Amino acid sequence: MKIALLGAGRIGRVHARAITEHPTAQLACISDAYAPAAEALASEYSVPVLSAEEVFASDAIEAVLIASSTPTHSDFLERAVRAGKAVLCEKPIDLDLARTRECLAVLAEHPVTCALGFNRRHDPQFAALKQAVTEGRVGELEMIAITSRDPEPPPAEYIAASGGIFRDMSIHDLDMAAWLLGEPISEISVTGSCLIDPAIGEAGDLDSVLISLKSVSGKLASISNSRRACYGYDQRIEVFGSKGMLEARNETDTRLRFTGEQGVMDERPKWFFLERYAQAFGREVADFVSACQDKRAPLAGAQDGLAALELAEAALISWHEGRRVLLSEIR
């Protein structure tokens, strides 16, 4: 399966490796508006550099992986599906809800396999957690607690273009909550502060937030986000139900735990998402290729992208207006 990679930046490099390591996928070409980045990555994998126009016009290219800058996602996605090519698109489809809905309308007119880059669904530990919940290991699911903290805040110039913490960072956790709950979320409430970097506050954003969610049947979920954790990339999930609790813990380099006179000591978590979710990116590409070949829905699709963006939008309204927001106001 020949896949064109649109985007030769940091995340593009991750996807290039995942494609080349897949046994039945082939990295067909690299495309990036910044020629030096495209040429460097293409040289590394001995593939040609093509323009976006050449990618969409090529009959030899069966699929595209969109890892370019966020403002290009919606346009590239529409052009790809109109050309009959399967798509794996990094999140978000767009920062604007109306534009995202337009893209889904185009997808409905040109049905092709379309996967969205919610890589955490593909993490082995989180996938095992989801399977255990589905199999009833904790009985009736009642509450979920998600902790997601970056090791250090991004630069202020990144914040200005990111869409804010809810659309940029929390959106992954909002998707995980919806996925694990297994039913629509009906309401959301948020509190937040700027406690870490004043420049983030000056850019009109938050760096520390607590999000509360309720599903249509009354199940509860909470999300704790911070832009700084001095000990590493803090990624944990706790699922509580009528028959017990399941925990997905932080990944470390070796998972060794030392016990001695000084006490019990674990290793620090992996430092950032590239290390923590290295396996997930490979499994994400594998799921995409399998979905195309088997003509089935991918683990995370465009509709999931819309649902998570709706939650992020509701979270932003809750913060600005200081109130509980019903998702019926957004959808």
Side-chain angles (χ1 to χ4, degrees), residues 62-116:
E62 303 165 76
V64 297
L65 197 159
I66 301 172
S68 48
S69 60
T70 295
T72 67
H73 288 185
S74 56
D75 177 59
F76 282 165
L77 191 151
E78 289 182 347
R79 292 168 69 183
V81 301
R82 284 180 171 135
K85 303 183 189 305
V87 183
L88 168 54
C89 182
E90 269 298 326
K91 69 84 190 165
I93 294 173
D94 197 89
L95 293 174
D96 180 71
L97 263 178
R99 184 72 182 96
T100 301
R101 289 174 177 140
E102 287 176 5
C103 283
L104 265 67
V106 173
L107 268 170
E109 295 172 1
H110 304 273
V112 297
T113 300
C114 181
L116 204 67

Side-chain angles (χ1 to χ4, degrees), residues 4-256:
L5 177 61
L6 305 181
R10 179 175 64 178
I11 196 65
R13 288 186 160 273
V14 172
H15 287 305
R17 180 175 179 179
I19 293 169
T20 56
E21 289 180 348
H22 191 279
T24 64
Q26 178 185 344
L27 182 61
C29 65
I30 305 294
S31 180
D32 196 294
Y34 183 58
E39 290 163 1
L41 188 57
S43 175
E44 187 176 334
Y45 288 97
S46 301
V47 298
V49 173
L50 298 182
S51 67
E53 290 72 20
E54 290 171 320
V55 168
F56 299 127
S58 173
D59 292 332
I61 293 171
E62 303 165 76
V64 297
L65 197 159
I66 301 172
S68 48
S69 60
T70 295
T72 67
H73 288 185
S74 56
D75 177 59
F76 282 165
L77 191 151
E78 289 182 347
R79 292 168 69 183
V81 301
R82 284 180 171 135
K85 303 183 189 305
V87 183
L88 168 54
C89 182
E90 269 298 326
K91 69 84 190 165
I93 294 173
D94 197 89
L95 293 174
D96 180 71
L97 263 178
R99 184 72 182 96
T100 301
R101 289 174 177 140
E102 287 176 5
C103 283
L104 265 67
V106 173
L107 268 170
E109 295 172 1
H110 304 273
V112 297
T113 300
C114 181
L116 204 67
F118 283 127
N119 63 80
R120 296 182 191 183
R121 293 192 182 202
H122 301 275
D123 175 72
Q125 192 176 176
F126 292 169
L129 178 68
K130 170 66 173 178
Q131 182 176 349
V133 170
T134 301
E135 292 173 350
R137 186 85 179 272
V138 297
E140 288 296 318
L141 189 154
E142 296 167 357
M143 301 176 73
I144 297 172
I146 297 174
T147 299
S148 179
R149 299 170 182 147
D150 286 349
E152 55 191 5
E157 55 268 25
Y158 172 85
I159 294 293
S162 70
I165 191 169
F166 300 116
R167 297 189 188 100
D168 173 55
M169 180 182 179
S170 306
I171 195 167
H172 280 288
D173 306 299
L174 292 165
D175 175 68
M176 286 301 298
W179 185 51
L180 291 170
L181 286 168
E183 62 184 43
I185 291 168
S186 60
E187 62 183 70
I188 186 168
S189 58
V190 170
T191 187
S193 296
C194 190
L195 302 172
I196 298 164
D197 185 354
I200 292 177
E202 290 167 8
D205 200 13
L206 304 164
D207 56 30
S208 308
V209 300
L210 296 173
I211 303 172
S212 296
L213 308 163
K214 181 185 284 189
S215 74
V216 291
S217 72
K219 296 179 176 65
L220 304 177
S222 65
I223 298 170
S224 172
N225 285 144
S226 174
R227 286 289 194 182
R228 183 204 59 213
C230 62
Y231 46 84
Y233 194 44
D234 193 0
Q235 300 284 291
R236 292 172 284 128
I237 301 177
E238 177 186 293
V239 176
F240 177 79
S242 60
K243 292 183 179 179
M245 179 181 71
L246 284 164
E247 292 179 279
R249 299 183 178 182
N250 280 318
E251 296 284 351
T252 66
D253 288 338
T254 67
R255 293 196 178 187
L256 285 176

